Amino acid sequence: MNEALFTANNLWIMIAAVLVFVMHLGFAALEAGFVRRKNTVNILFKNVMIISIGLLTYYILGFNLMYPGGDPGGFFGFAGFGLSMPEGAAGLIEYADGGYTYWTDFIFQAMFAATCCTIVSGAVAERIKLGPFLIFCVLFVSLSYPITGMWKWGAGWLDELGFYDFAGSTLVHAVGGFGALAAIILLGARKGKFTKEGINPIPGHNLPLAAIGVFLLWFGWFGFNGGSVLSGDAGAVSLVFVTTALSAAAGIMGSFVTSYILFKSHDLSMVLNGCLGGLVGITAGADLMSPMEAIAIGFIAGIIIPFSVVMFDRLRLDDPVGATSVHLICGIWGTLAVGLFGDLAGIAQIGYQIIGIASIGAFTFTFAFIVMYVLKITMGIRVSEEDELKGLDIAEHEMSAYPDTNIGVENYAMSIQ
Amino acid sequence: MNEALFTANNLWIMIAAVLVFVMHLGFAALEAGFVRRKNTVNILFKNVMIISIGLLTYYILGFNLMYPGGDPGGFFGFAGFGLSMPEGAAGLIEYADGGYTYWTDFIFQAMFAATCCTIVSGAVAERIKLGPFLIFCVLFVSLSYPITGMWKWGAGWLDELGFYDFAGSTLVHAVGGFGALAAIILLGARKGKFTKEGINPIPGHNLPLAAIGVFLLWFGWFGFNGGSVLSGDAGAVSLVFVTTALSAAAGIMGSFVTSYILFKSHDLSMVLNGCLGGLVGITAGADLMSPMEAIAIGFIAGIIIPFSVVMFDRLRLDDPVGATSVHLICGIWGTLAVGLFGDLAGIAQIGYQIIGIASIGAFTFTFAFIVMYVLKITMGIRVSEEDELKGLDIAEHEMSAYPDTNIGVENYAMSIQ
Amino acid sequence: MNEALFTANNLWIMIAAVLVFVMHLGFAALEAGFVRRKNTVNILFKNVMIISIGLLTYYILGFNLMYPGGDPGGFFGFAGFGLSMPEGAAGLIEYADGGYTYWTDFIFQAMFAATCCTIVSGAVAERIKLGPFLIFCVLFVSLSYPITGMWKWGAGWLDELGFYDFAGSTLVHAVGGFGALAAIILLGARKGKFTKEGINPIPGHNLPLAAIGVFLLWFGWFGFNGGSVLSGDAGAVSLVFVTTALSAAAGIMGSFVTSYILFKSHDLSMVLNGCLGGLVGITAGADLMSPMEAIAIGFIAGIIIPFSVVMFDRLRLDDPVGATSVHLICGIWGTLAVGLFGDLAGIAQIGYQIIGIASIGAFTFTFAFIVMYVLKITMGIRVSEEDELKGLDIAEHEMSAYPDTNIGVENYAMSIQ
Amino acid sequence: MKKIEAIVRLQCFDEVRDALAMIGVEFFSLKEVKGYGLQKGETMVYRGSIYGKDYIARLQIDILATDEKADQIVKTILTSARTGEVGDGKVFVLDVEQVYRIRNGETGENAL
Amino acid sequence: MKKIEAIVRLQCFDEVRDALAMIGVEFFSLKEVKGYGLQKGETMVYRGSIYGKDYIARLQIDILATDEKADQIVKTILTSARTGEVGDGKVFVLDVEQVYRIRNGETGENAL
Amino acid sequence: MKKIEAIVRLQCFDEVRDALAMIGVEFFSLKEVKGYGLQKGETMVYRGSIYGKDYIARLQIDILATDEKADQIVKTILTSARTGEVGDGKVFVLDVEQVYRIRNGETGENAL
Ligand SMILES: Nc1ncnc2c1ncn2[C@@H]1O[C@H](COP(=O)(O)OP(=O)(O)O)[C@@H](O)[C@H]1O
Ligand SMILES: Nc1ncnc2c1ncn2[C@@H]1O[C@H](COP(=O)(O)OP(=O)(O)O)[C@@H](O)[C@H]1O
Ligand SMILES: Nc1ncnc2c1ncn2[C@@H]1O[C@H](COP(=O)(O)OP(=O)(O)O)[C@@H](O)[C@H]1O
């Protein structure tokens, strides 16, 4: 391999890492937009902390848990604390067959890692205590995520089995979604969300912020999926760009049509979630699909979103930003789609995909549930009812996101949204 | 051509596509910032739908209308529905002389396509009905834009003639602007904008959002213009970066000076438009100009903006975001500038530029006018007066962009801004 | 050097320039979020003008002052007005040993230049007059910044001495910080900030905007530091990415822990500043540090931030956005850290670093102080008390950033924040 | 002297203001209030669930006037703010003991 | 007729509204006010400095009622808005001369 | 007992509040109102067109006080809120029938 190709390849993975970094801003904006103004500082604070925790713990522990580099096919491995560049050229051109350097590898993977906590952060918004949540994040991102990640991307048993998950519909998104599910089960719904009279929507306080978040997530997703080619290979990366973009576009269309049929409404929050659903859906097989198949996958993801949102509401599982619908349900859908569409489609593959989802789901849900449960019975995970009424910004941060605007009564009175 | 150079070239065009994608966020933010808060959800919704419609229709139809690949010099051609990667290496390194792959070609062009509708979206804001607007977009982006695009970029008759439009001052921006002009003529002004007492400004509700939009548009413009080199050629792309940046900077300065002289005011909305004017202006000849010429083009564009805004107001053509001034007037200016400055300057070239603008303008305006007119007499294109008063967010979406803040009386009473 | 490697190298520096461009949006958003709503248009206007002034003056004057290309080791040099591409290949592949083209060099450096004024802009917010501030910017960015920049990056005397400043902890950030310090000394504090009763915090009006700004700054910093490698060298750039990201993460953690210990609070504005502190801190030695050293540097920067903010408050120096703490204090810290950690650490290096900081600081502070002082005694630099009360948006721009929302009494009454 | 408090629809405000100006009343204070009454707020949809606000945004106009003028003002408001639909609002009249103009300390009718 | 103005805590509003509904009062206007009194606003922290707002956000409920009904309404508010902590607020009763329903011009008790 | 309603300039509020505190009045409610009167809002410019707001933002201070205290309060406001320019605002005094403190049900002067 010549140096020029190596430089170009590595350049792409570095840029992809930067794009994945922007997804943290995307999540922060989306989640901030979808909560009430009285909880805005809190959600931003959590998202800033998560990226810090994600990078630091991945440096200390996560990277070497996820890519232990032992014999293939295992369940667990650990290559030691911290990072150390392999000697000589092995750290550069020879490290990954000219795809990228050791440092590039780390930074690209580290940017992925924090994502799983950001997904949880949205689902538990407006009622979780800050301290326990941060402890949960440390454990989730430094242990749970890399262990299941290793099963596939670290050449573990699922990889050997034939499970396929290109850029992480399951390994990243559904993992975040299973964590979120465990958390919201233990946490309970926000006050006033479910009353005897029925479901009481609690609209987000700033939809432009949410829309900015979704566009930035899509922007970053070109790096998330495109970088997962793990080289700058022109044909492969550009195909991934096409499938990713078309699936997102189809996700918007799918949720537009479905929400109109179901609710006779043009709900911005639904098409935003539909867009993300399409992106999550294509993630597992972005390199395997034709454009038409990508559109099909995205469109179905878009259809799923409104149904899934309603389903979680009916189950009285309260998820302010729709993280479980987007990341868990569409993550599962996308992973299954690899068995239904594209180059690998087939009965056997469907089986592998189900095994992958089920095993990772079982591990992650159990891990998250136990951690949250222990935190619940020890420190408590939920703020007091009074603090919830006041808002977490005042209660946990003694700040206000927009201190010099008038505060609407909606922020305080439970029954007037 | 070696693989490394191909990879680097292709990488740049892919990254340029991602940057052009960000322009959709830029437009969404700019337009949302420049409308009243009661119409914010509506404008965001439209912009999300446009990117979906743009990508999907360009996949189905547009790409093969714009680049039919038949004999050069024609007026119309169509290479069939959908996309199919050319066989073998033709789809990769040989597809475009090592510049980019087939898929990269599609995604880069597709990101451009939706832009023309986004331009219209801003001009018709705060009063158009959602349904007819989306129908207009489907037709405009899948038929009108690619047909005139083919005349030049698809090696059609204008290309053969000698018309020059590097990255689309006319093909993209003025096309959007002509569409916008047809639409606002048929639609009429917002209630309360023009009264017997004179022109009644209706200020946008969130200037930080508008400023974010402009910065993001500039950011994306490096991809819009830089990617139009259609390879990573170091000298050509870096010159385009310099001319693009200096023209934008000069556009700011031009509108700063001019607004101060004309209105004795430091109007943020004007310098933001001036910046965009400079960007649109340089787009037709970004690869032909010296830095000094780029500054001249941008500075003149910046001077044009305040005059143009006042002119449209005097003509009682209501354009909430200044899309016609920025995209139509400065698009025409930039296209003409190719005949006045830079490597191609000359009388003959001025002639070609005028023919190009006139023919594309005539086609586009007529197309847009007919489509809008038919929609107007069938479905109606304008919301009821009551809905306009309430705002499109409530009327069309039953949502509010900032549901838990107090609504100022300004949103309802017509005569108090 | 082959063309492919040159293309890849140049591509990276161009992309880095685009990322540095985004930092201007980051600064604009951060500063807008940290001022009161009545001064929002003003700060956005200033930041739009700064990028225009920065690019244009750097084209006319700055570039050739900073890189005069005379004999090494000097104090001052000037290579003539304007830009002219060196003849033949010297402008392309041979210009910088295949690292980038002449135009790329200019655009990358030009994007840096405007940064120093943006830093000042935040510190003087909410009370400076627009006109004098813009004059200050013109002089600061076209004379002061390039002269001290030349001492090191233009192969001047500090470079020969052995002073090291990889991407500008001192040359860019501390320079901006010294300018800010001179300005706020001459300008005085905002009305109501320091009263007999003590320090009266004046919280920023839109923390989500500030958070977006910080994330975008971090995003851009990958280009700021990564591009300073001045080629796409895989090993070097990817190491810089890792140290930059880990230092930022550690800066967040450092300020999180310190603010909690000092103030028992989880102050979002502090962790945002901590993140920036970590970024500024690593900038001088991003290419010299191991990951662990980068974490140490960032963590210490994060600890410094809350102390520094309190210190400036005690000194009654009013800096609404914390620019002096972030850019001046952490800039100095980062420059010193090159002598304490990493490949160059040593007593002699500490000496060089101190000489560099002291000489650049002395020059810059003196320059800024004199310019501001002359402006103060001629035009006056501070708005009237009444205008400060009304807000600069109305007073200087006759606009309002959010015209159709109610204005809280907080905006007018001094003693109720 | 009387204090007239009128609670009217947002969209009627322009008309009321113009009608008042016609009879020479150009001085008043305006407050934004949330009205609870027969008419409720708009029905909204969010993420598939329908909800409504109990209240509806309204404007309260406070006018101080002499006893003679008060009647005319009330009549003007009653006509100009009327749509005939439920939710048009109310007008209340209260007695005021004294009025002062801060600028010059004038009191009584001179201060109006 | 009487005008009752009650200044209550934000978090008590739901209870007051429900209690009023129980005694048949479903018509009123709501204003957001800033209350200055014994109770101050929340303590806030910004960049290491502690500060507090002098005031606290409160709601003012305005109810027009007949003389007989007024007493019952006041009692209902007094009970439903009480927490017993400093800062519970006040209720004032003013006399109203006349009330008009804009929709149909009805006056007096019919207009309530 | 009296209810004093003072409509003052935003920028005078601090002074009024301090002056009231000096005479022992630390209890009141504050509302933001839009004032229509001789003084109009700031002139604004947007995209080359000049426009102005008809109204100007003002604060309304509501104070309940005993009959004796009322006079002193009015005087204090008249002095502390005066700039002498058009637009200084008004003070109105209304009669109040009864006042209740919600916290403990006290009435009359005790409740103030
Ligand atoms: N008894 C009352 N006390 C105070 N305000 C009232 C009262 N009744 C009605 N209002 C105000 O008048 C508005 C209109 O009343 P509503 O019952 O909806 O219609 P209508 O006036 O046509 O009967 C309400 O929203 C409320 O603001
Ligand atoms: N004299 C007064 N005039 C007007 N409003 C008052 C007066 N006294 C109290 N208030 C209002 O009542 C609220 C509660 O009063 P406060 O003194 O805090 O507690 P409490 O009512 O328990 O004595 C204040 O915030 C203010 O809005
Ligand atoms: N007749 C009135 N009824 C109610 N409010 C009034 C009346 N006249 C004036 N005001 C209020 O007082 C404010 C100041 O009045 P204005 O006429 O501008 O100046 P001045 O008080 O100096 O004569 C107005 O903005 C308005 O809020």
Side-chain angles (χ1 to χ4, degrees), chain B residues 5-335:
Chain B
L5 185 51
F6 172 53
T7 304
N9 280 338
N10 180 70
L11 183 52
W12 168 236
I13 309 305
M14 290 196 306
I15 291 169
V18 176
L19 290 172
V20 179
F21 170 77
V22 171
M23 293 176 70
H24 292 284
L25 169 54
F27 277 116
L30 173 67
E31 296 175 10
F34 273 171
V35 302
R36 281 166 293 179
R37 49 195 283 127
K38 64 181 177 180
N39 297 316
T40 309
V41 167
N42 183 253
I43 197 94
L44 292 170
F45 194 90
K46 287 195 307 194
N47 279 290
V48 171
M49 290 310 296
I50 284 169
I51 173 90
S52 170
I53 290 171
L55 289 173
L56 294 175
T57 63
Y58 205 72
Y59 161 73
I60 296 169
L61 205 64
F63 187 61
N64 282 332
L65 269 177
M66 189 147 166
Y67 299 96
D71 293 333
F75 281 83
F76 183 83
F78 184 50
F81 291 99
L83 288 186
S84 52
M85 167 90 154
E87 286 296 311
L92 292 170
I93 194 160
E94 277 160 34
Y95 174 69
D97 291 325
Y100 43 85
T101 69
Y102 178 76
W103 302 121
T104 303
D105 193 13
F106 166 71
I107 197 75
F108 182 66
Q109 301 298 341
M111 290 301 174
F112 268 62
T115 311
C116 63
C117 287
T118 315
I119 293 167
V120 181
S121 154
V124 300
E126 309 206 86
R127 58 209 193 278
I128 203 165
K129 272 195 205 165
L130 184 65
F133 177 73
L134 294 181
I135 294 170
F136 171 82
C137 284
V138 169
L139 298 172
F140 196 59
V141 73
S142 68
L143 296 175
S144 178
Y145 169 81
I147 288 172
T148 52
M150 178 266 178
W151 294 354
K152 164 67 190 147
W153 292 342
W157 69 278
L158 279 175
D159 190 47
E160 212 158 69
L161 176 73
F163 173 66
Y164 195 80
D165 189 1
F166 174 61
S169 282
T170 289
L171 267 73
V172 181
H173 294 283
V175 159
F178 280 115
L181 185 64
I184 64 178
I185 290 172
L186 285 166
L187 199 54
R190 288 167 293 169
K191 284 253 83 169
K193 167 84 188 181
F194 303 116
T195 57
K196 356 173 189 66
E197 288 90 42
I199 297 157
N200 202 357
I202 304 181
H205 86 289
N206 192 328
L207 293 190
L209 205 52
I212 289 177
V214 168
F215 274 101
L216 289 176
L217 282 164
W218 186 344
F219 174 59
W221 228 289
F222 286 109
F224 196 92
N225 284 1
S228 294
V229 170
L230 299 181
S231 85
D233 184 89
V237 181
S238 59
L239 173 62
V240 167
F241 268 45
V242 171
T243 55
T244 301
L246 288 176
S247 184
I252 293 170
M253 202 50 81
S255 58
F256 170 72
V257 172
T258 312
S259 339
Y260 191 69
I261 293 171
L262 286 183
F263 317 124
K264 295 278 164 291
S265 83
H266 300 304
D267 184 333
L268 179 61
S269 80
M270 278 297 179
V271 297
L272 293 176
N273 274 177
C275 177
L276 297 180
L279 289 164
V280 171
I282 195 64
T283 292
D287 60 333
L288 303 173
M289 303 298 160
S290 70
M292 200 59 228
E293 289 164 337
I295 290 175
I297 291 173
F299 193 78
I300 294 170
I303 293 173
I304 290 174
I305 288 289
F307 285 100
S308 172
V309 166
V310 170
M311 179 192 79
F312 280 109
D313 269 355
R314 295 266 164 86
L315 294 172
R316 307 227 144 191
L317 291 171
D318 182 21
D319 176 353
V321 306
T324 43
S325 298
V326 167
H327 300 282
L328 179 56
I329 304 299
C330 289
I332 292 174
W333 156 240
T335 311

Side-chain angles (χ1 to χ4, degrees), chain B residues 199 201 203-204 263 267 269 273 322 409-410 417, chain F residues 34 36 45-51 53-55:
Chain B
I199 297 157
F263 317 124
D267 184 333
S269 80
N273 274 177
V409 58
E410 291 83 354
Q417 294 311 336
Chain F
K34 295 180 162 59
Y36 285 73
V45 179
Y46 186 74
R47 302 178 80 67
S49 303
I50 294 166
Y51 69 108
K53 293 188 195 283
D54 290 353
Y55 63 84

